[in-house]
C-alpha cells in the first residue's frame, strides 16, 4: 500500500483532514490538481470570517473545537492566523427575527460570549455603521478574521513536517474501490493504492465521483469578492479596532482592511450558478446581467449600512467559488456503496471557519474511528426524504 489514506483536494478542508491524519501517525498522501498557490477553488484569498452565530445548532456545537485547533496551528507553526477582532451580526427584526432568536438561544446554550446591541446604538459602538431602529445587533467577542492564505500555507507546512506526502500539480482522474480495505487512485502521473480515500474536491466533486457512479446535488457558484475605498474621515481598519460585520438581512458581509491598505472587503453572500467550475470565467450574457444586478444591489446596501465607504465603484474584484448544497448545509458522508470512500463537500460559502473540526470528522470516518458529533444533519440521506 502506498498510504493508509489518500486525500483528494488540497483546499482548506482537505488540508485539515491531512493534518489530523498525520498527527495520528497515518501514512497520508494528499493530491491537489493545481500547483500551489492557486485561485481556482474556494479557499484562496487573504481573509475569511469566523463566528459562532448560526441558527443551526450543529455548527455552533463544532465551532469551539475549530477555534481551539486554529490556535494550536498558530502555536505549532509560529504564524498569526486568527485575528479575534470580534464580529457584529446585524438583523432587520422585521425580516429575520426568527433567525435572531434561534441564534441567541444557541449562543446562550453553548456559553458563547455575546452582547445584544440595539439598532439605535450601532454607530456609537462602531463608527462607520449606520443606526437603524429596525435592526438589532449581536456582537461576538471571540470571533473575527482568519488569514486564509496563511492558514493554507501553515497547514501545508505542518502536514509535510508530520510525514504527509503533498503532491500538488497532480490531478486524480479516477478512484476504484477494489474491496473494503483497498482503493486504487489513478492520477495524471500513476496509480496509487490505499486503505481509504477522502474526497474534498470542492466544486469539482462530481467530476471525480463519476468514476464511482455517484452524482451529488451540489451546485458550483461563481462568487465575486469586492474591495472598496474608505471615504476621508473613516478608518475601517483592524488597527482601529474595527470588527468584521454582517448585515444578515441584506446578505452582506464586511471585513476591515487587511490585505489591501485602505480597502475593505464587502460582498454579497451569493453568486451566479455555473455549469462547470473548470470554465467559470466564461462570461455569458446571463452571467453578465446577473453579476451587474447583484453589484448594483450591493452598492445600494453599502450606501445604507456603511456610510464611510465610497460605493461608486469597487477598487478591486476577485473571483472565487462556492459549492452549494440544496439546503446550504455541508455534506459529510460515506459513498452509499463503499465505506472506504469518504466525501466532504457542499460547504456553501461558509466552510472555512469549521474546517479544523470537519477535517477531524473526515479523518475519523476514513480510519473507522467514532465521531464525537452527530452526523445526520450532514448525511446524504437527507436529500432522499
Ligand atoms: C469569496 C468567498 C468568501 C468566503 N467567505 C467565507 C467566510 O467568511 N467564512 C467561512 O467560513 N467561509 C467562507 N467561504 C467559504 C469557504 O472558503 C469554503 O467553504 C471553503 O474554502 C471550501 O474549502 P474546500 O477545501 O471544501 O474546497 P476548495 O477550496 O474548493 O478545495 C478543493 C480543492 O480540490 C482540488 N481538486 C478538485 N478535484 C481534484 C482532483 N480530481 N484531483 C486533485 N485535486 C482536485 C481543487 O483544485 C481545489 O483546490 C468563502 C468562500 C468564498 C468563495
Amino acid at each position: 500500500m502506498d498510504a493508509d489514506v489518500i486525500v483528494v483536494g488540497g483546499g482548506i478542508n482537505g488540508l485539515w483532514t491531512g493534518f489530523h491524519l498525520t498527527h495520528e501517525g497515518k501514512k497520508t498522501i494528499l493530491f491537489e490538481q493545481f500547483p500551489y498557490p492557486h485561485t481556482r477553488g474556494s479557499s484562496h484569498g487573504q481573509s475569511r470570517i469566523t463566528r459562532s452565530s448560526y441558527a443551526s445548532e450543529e455548527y455552533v456545537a463544532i465551532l469551539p473545537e475549530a477555534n481551539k485547533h486554529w490556535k494550536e496551528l498558530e502555536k505549532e507553526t509560529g504564524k498569526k492566523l486568527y485575528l479575534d477582532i470580534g464580529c457584529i451580526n446585524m438583523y432587520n427584526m422585521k425580516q429575520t427575527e426568527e433567525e435572531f432568536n434561534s441564534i441567541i438561544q444557541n449562543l446562550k446554550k453553548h456559553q458563547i460570549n455575546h452582547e445584544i446591541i440595539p439598532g439605535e446604538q450601532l454607530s456609537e459602538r462602531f463608527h462607520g455603521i449606520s443606526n437603524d431602529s429596525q435592526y438589532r445587533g449581536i456582537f461576538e467577542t471571540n470571533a473575527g478574521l482568519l488569514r486564509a492564505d496563511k492558514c493554507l500555507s501553515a497547514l501545508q507546512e505542518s502536514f509535510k513536517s508530520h510525514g504527509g506526502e503533498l503532491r500538488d500539480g497532480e490531478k486524480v482522474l479516477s478512484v476504484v474501490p477494489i474491496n473494503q480495505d483497498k482503493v486504487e487512485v489513478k492520477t495524471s502521473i500513476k496509480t496509487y493504492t490505499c486503505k481509504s480515500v477522502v474526497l474534498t474536491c470542492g466544486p469539482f466533486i462530481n467530476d471525480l465521483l463519476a468514476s464511482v457512479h455517484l452524482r451529488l446535488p451540489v451546485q458550483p457558484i461563481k462568487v465575486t469578492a469586492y474591495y472598496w475605498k474608505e471615504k476621508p474621515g473613516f478608518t475601517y481598519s483592524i488597527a482601529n479596532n474595527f470588527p468584521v460585520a454582517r448585515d444578515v438581512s441584506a446578505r452582506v458581509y464586511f471585513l476591515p482592511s487587511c490585505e489591501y491598505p485602505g480597502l475593505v472587503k464587502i460582498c454579497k453572500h451569493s453568486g451566479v450558478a455555473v455549469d462547470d467550475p473548470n470554465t467559470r470565467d466564461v462570461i455569458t450574457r446571463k452571467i453578465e446581467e446577473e453579476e451587474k444586478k447583484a453589484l448594483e444591489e450591493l452598492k445600494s446596501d453599502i450606501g445604507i449600512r456603511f456610510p464611510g465607504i465610497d460605493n461608486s465603484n469597487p477598487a478591486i474584484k476577485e473571483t472565487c467559488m462556492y459549492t452549494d448544497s440544496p439546503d446550504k448545509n455541508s455534506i459529510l458522508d460515506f459513498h452509499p456503496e463503499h465505506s472506504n470512500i469518504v466525501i466532504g463537500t457542499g460547504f456553501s460559502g461558509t466552510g472555512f471557519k469549521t474546517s479544523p473540526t470537519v477535517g477531524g470528522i473526515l479523518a475519523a470516518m476514513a480510519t473507522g474511528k467514532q465521531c464525537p458529533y452527530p452526523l445526520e444533519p450532514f448525511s446524504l440521506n437527507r436529500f432522499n426524504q
Side-chain angles (χ1 to χ4, degrees):
M1 290 272 180
D2 296 297
D4 294 315
V5 184
I6 285 180
V7 180
V8 186
I12 197 68
N13 283 296
L15 283 165
W16 269 111
T17 307
F19 172 96
H20 289 285
L21 289 166
T22 52
H23 279 65
E24 284 161 20
K26 301 290 175 198
K27 193 169 181 217
T28 311
I29 308 177
L30 192 156
F31 292 105
E32 166 52 51
Q33 63 182 335
F34 301 120
Y36 283 127
H38 74 83
T39 58
R40 308 300 305 170
S42 313
S43 301
H44 59 277
Q46 302 272 333
S47 57
R48 292 290 187 279
I49 294 175
T50 182
R51 61 179 164 94
S52 297
S53 299
Y54 274 93
S56 309
E57 198 187 342
E58 54 268 21
Y59 290 100
V60 190
I62 66 175
L63 275 152
E65 187 190 327
N67 292 338
K68 187 178 90 168
H69 285 311
W70 289 120
K71 301 279 179 188
E72 282 166 5
L73 182 64
E74 282 188 335
K75 242 190 208 156
E76 186 188 312
T77 59
K79 290 189 171 139
K80 186 75 193 146
L81 306 172
Y82 185 153
L83 309 182
D84 36 9
I85 53 180
C87 175
I88 172 73
N89 304 282
M90 297 169 280
Y91 300 82
N92 181 329
M93 295 308 277
K94 284 204 170 148
Q95 293 166 9
T96 34
E97 184 172 5
E98 208 179 314
E99 187 178 348
F100 176 92
N101 290 336
S102 305
I103 289 169
I104 293 293
Q105 208 178 357
N106 285 336
L107 294 177
K108 280 186 181 156
K109 184 169 168 193
H110 291 267
Q111 299 180 324
I112 291 166
N113 275 344
H114 65 281
E115 182 189 348
I116 297 176
I117 299 182
E120 295 86 347
Q121 293 174 18
L122 285 165
S123 74
E124 273 166 51
R125 287 294 297 274
F126 310 104
H127 173 62
I129 294 186
S130 309
N131 282 342
D132 191 329
S133 59
Q134 285 187 355
Y135 269 67
R136 284 175 98 182
I138 302 173
F139 183 56
E140 277 181 68
T141 41
N142 300 327
L145 185 151
L146 293 163
R147 301 170 87 190
D149 279 347
K150 289 191 173 16
C151 294
L152 292 182
S153 62
L155 282 168
Q156 290 160 19
E157 192 183 297
S158 165
F159 179 71
K160 288 190 278 189
S161 73
H162 283 78
E165 191 178 335
L166 187 57
R167 301 189 67 88
D168 63 333
E170 187 166 346
K171 181 174 178 166
V172 173
L173 304 175
S174 65
V175 170
V176 183
I178 304 297
N179 58 40
Q180 280 196 334
D181 302 309
K182 187 175 176 188
V183 184
E184 274 181 9
V185 174
K186 188 172 180 225
T187 76
S188 46
I189 296 180
K190 64 175 238 191
T191 299
Y192 301 78
T193 54
C194 59
K195 292 180 191 160
S196 58
V197 289
V198 179
L199 309 182
T200 45
C201 304
F204 304 88
I205 189 77
N206 277 325
D207 289 357
L208 192 56
L209 285 177
S211 67
V212 281
H213 314 292
L214 184 65
R215 186 165 182 85
L216 299 183
V218 292
Q219 175 64 58
I221 304 282
K222 179 187 174 200
V223 180
T224 310
Y226 293 106
Y227 294 84
W228 307 81
K229 281 196 203 101
E230 294 163 346
K231 287 181 188 166
F234 289 88
T235 317
Y236 295 90
S237 71
I238 292 164
N240 205 29
N241 272 336
F242 210 90
V244 297
R246 300 164 62 235
D247 182 334
V248 181
S249 312
R251 296 178 67 73
V252 168
Y253 64 91
F254 165 106
L255 291 101
S257 53
C258 168
E259 46 268 64
Y260 307 114
L263 297 183
V264 303
K265 182 172 171 180
I266 314 180
C267 315
K268 277 274 184 195
H269 179 46
S270 58
V272 180
V274 292
D275 294 335
D276 180 357
N278 298 291
T279 56
R280 70 169 197 207
D281 297 323
V282 176
I283 303 285
T284 61
R285 199 190 168 97
K286 184 169 168 278
I287 291 178
E288 194 177 11
E289 279 169 8
E290 280 183 48
E291 286 182 340
K292 205 171 153 198
K293 186 164 165 255
L295 178 58
E296 288 312 311
E297 252 179 58
L298 178 60
K299 284 183 187 177
S300 157
D301 294 330
I302 293 173
I304 293 168
R305 194 59 49 220
F306 301 103
I309 297 295
D310 173 357
N311 65 344
S312 53
N313 267 312
I316 293 179
K317 79 184 224 190
E318 293 173 350
T319 303
C320 195
M321 300 290 291
Y322 285 179
T323 312
D324 276 4
S325 73
D327 59 8
K328 305 279 196 287
N329 275 337
S330 318
I331 298 171
L332 311 177
D333 209 340
F334 299 98
H335 185 291
E337 281 155 31
H338 306 290
S339 58
N340 51 0
I341 299 182
V342 177
I343 300 164
T345 189
F347 295 103
S348 306
T350 65
F352 206 97
K353 64 184 83 56
T354 49
S355 57
T357 318
V358 163
I361 292 172
L362 296 172
M365 290 166 81
T367 51
K369 277 175 58 184
Q370 192 73 23
C371 173
Y373 300 99
L375 291 179
E376 296 81 38
F378 307 115
S379 73
L380 276 170
N381 270 341
R382 71 190 197 267
F383 303 122
N384 302 331
Q385 283 154 14

